[in-house]
Amino acid sequence: MEQLAHHGILNQKWGVRHGPPYPLGGGDYSPSQRRAIRNKRKAGNSIYNKRHFDEVLKADKTTLSTLSYDRDRTKNTDMFYATHNVLDKHQYNALFNRPIPRTVYDENGNPIGTGNFMKYRIDNSLKKDIKVASEDSGAEVFRELFKKDRDFYNFVMDEDRMQSYFVSDKYKFKGYREVRQVLEKMKQGDYTQTADELQIVYRMFNYVIPYDGAGDARKGKDVTTQRTKFFNACKEAGYGAVLDTNDAIYGGFKAKSPVIVFDMEQVVPKDVYQTKMIDQKFSDLVLVGRKLLGQ
């Protein structure tokens, strides 16, 4: 009498359950498989990592780089945007570095015409290691400040303050619509917001941190006052920078290591030079290659 024997599924490893009645799509993993998945999710610069894990910038290995038409951008300021990732540097250079007209002077300081100038590349080193708050950690500081500081609470809740400082075409941003929905619920007298909802609101605050008032000194001072409170609270919690959540997670950039640096005592100017059009063209090519590789 012939017998029908089942010897497993093609390419199935011995001892690994991967087929009926077990889930073909995953979910029934061995401990080693779960560790591998966890390690992959925690890989450097992954969105999972940036949301949930703080980053430490080592003083002996980190160069914080930014672009600006002002060569002294990182001097006498309370904060600046930066990255320490090479691909990010090319991405920002390709997207945001354009020539602008500027008066040219002779050696005696007399104007002799107009030329086109690119942004300065400003590199900075660190005196000591600084810790970058992940989205979770930044949101936790934000939540505590929201609970304890009445003026900060009003800044967040008042439509004419934080919400009005968001970009003018705000409704095309999914993140803005999500925040609006949460804030509308929070206005109800008997409503108690959750930690997750305040984390959504934090994303808007993170976005408006650099707002300078767009010519309105009162609005600029308002934002400066509130971000100073936030920066001080972050410093008390041991942080010298926070993740730029828009560029890292929610915007279209998906930058790898964009940070907002505010512990200026640790920042040391390292090198400043004016970029050239050829630098920008090379960055364009790098950006194209990055997209093709899915990075």
Side-chain angles (χ1 to χ4, degrees):
M1 179 178 178
E2 294 183 357
Q3 291 184 336
L4 181 63
H6 173 59
H7 296 286
I9 297 175
L10 183 63
N11 295 326
Q12 180 185 37
K13 293 183 179 179
W14 177 257
V16 178
R17 299 181 297 177
H18 189 60
Y22 314 114
L24 289 170
D28 191 5
Y29 300 107
S30 68
S32 61
Q33 288 174 315
R34 284 196 292 270
R35 282 195 299 272
I37 292 170
R38 187 164 60 248
N39 290 336
K40 183 177 181 180
R41 293 173 75 184
K42 291 183 182 179
N45 298 317
S46 71
I47 288 180
Y48 180 86
N49 200 28
K50 287 181 282 193
R51 277 180 175 156
H52 306 302
F53 296 93
D54 299 329
E55 180 183 16
V56 176
L57 303 181
K58 296 292 186 180
D60 60 341
K61 297 180 180 179
T62 302
T63 296
L64 291 171
S65 185
T66 191
L67 287 167
S68 177
Y69 292 114
D70 178 6
R71 64 175 299 132
D72 296 321
R73 172 65 186 85
T74 61
K75 297 179 181 179
N76 302 315
T77 185
D78 65 329
M79 56 145 287
F80 68 99
Y81 282 88
T83 185
H84 58 92
N85 180 275
V86 173
L87 290 178
D88 282 354
K89 293 178 184 179
H90 284 297
Q91 177 164 316
Y92 288 120
N93 193 38
L95 295 174
F96 301 115
N97 194 1
R98 295 291 182 271
I100 61 171
R102 184 176 291 177
T103 303
V104 179
Y105 299 89
D106 63 18
E107 58 185 12
N108 297 317
N110 300 312
I112 57 175
T114 302
N116 289 323
F117 289 83
M118 303 290 285
K119 287 184 176 180
Y120 290 96
R121 168 71 64 189
I122 307 169
D123 291 336
N124 304 272
S125 58
L126 294 171
K127 293 179 183 177
K128 66 178 185 180
D129 300 352
I130 64 172
K131 189 160 65 167
V132 181
S134 64
E135 183 188 30
D136 283 356
S137 298
E140 177 61 26
V141 173
F142 173 84
R143 283 194 293 267
E144 290 303 309
L145 198 56
F146 180 83
K147 294 175 185 176
K148 296 177 181 178
D149 189 300
R150 187 65 186 180
D151 183 50
F152 189 83
Y153 171 91
N154 291 336
F155 172 80
V156 172
M157 297 297 294
D158 191 338
E159 290 188 20
D160 293 328
R161 297 178 74 183
M162 183 182 78
Q163 296 176 58
S164 73
Y165 304 151
F166 202 70
V167 291
S168 57
D169 52 352
K170 52 179 70 80
Y171 280 100
K172 78 175 186 179
F173 288 87
K174 178 184 177 183
Y176 176 78
R177 298 194 297 271
E178 291 176 343
V179 174
R180 283 281 298 179
Q181 291 172 0
V182 172
L183 290 173
E184 287 301 316
K185 289 193 293 184
M186 287 168 58
K187 289 179 181 178
Q188 301 172 16
D190 58 346
Y191 185 79
T192 301
Q193 65 277 352
T194 66
D196 287 343
E197 286 174 329
L198 278 178
Q199 183 148 342
I200 291 173
V201 178
Y202 167 69
R203 294 168 192 166
M204 178 183 284
F205 175 75
N206 185 281
Y207 191 98
V208 303
I209 279 176
Y211 184 73
D212 61 2
D216 188 319
R218 182 187 61 80
K219 291 181 178 180
K221 183 179 180 181
D222 188 23
V223 175
T224 300
T225 299
Q226 305 310 322
R227 77 176 180 226
T228 299
K229 294 177 183 178
F230 176 71
F231 290 161
N232 288 339
C234 285
K235 289 178 183 178
E236 290 177 5
Y239 297 104
V242 295
L243 179 72
D244 174 4
T245 59
N246 182 67
D247 282 9
I249 303 173
Y250 302 105
F253 305 116
K254 296 298 183 289
K256 293 183 177 296
S257 299
V259 295
I260 303 171
V261 182
F262 51 80
D263 190 354
M264 300 305 297
E265 292 183 2
Q266 309 310 325
V267 177
V268 181
K270 182 179 179 181
D271 189 23
V272 179
Y273 61 91
Q274 195 156 39
T275 58
K276 301 177 181 178
M277 279 297 299
I278 191 170
D279 300 325
Q280 203 265 347
K281 296 299 181 184
F282 179 71
S283 292
D284 281 338
L285 294 175
V286 173
L287 184 59
V288 170
R290 182 176 181 176
K291 289 180 178 178
L292 290 174
L293 294 173
Q295 295 182 343

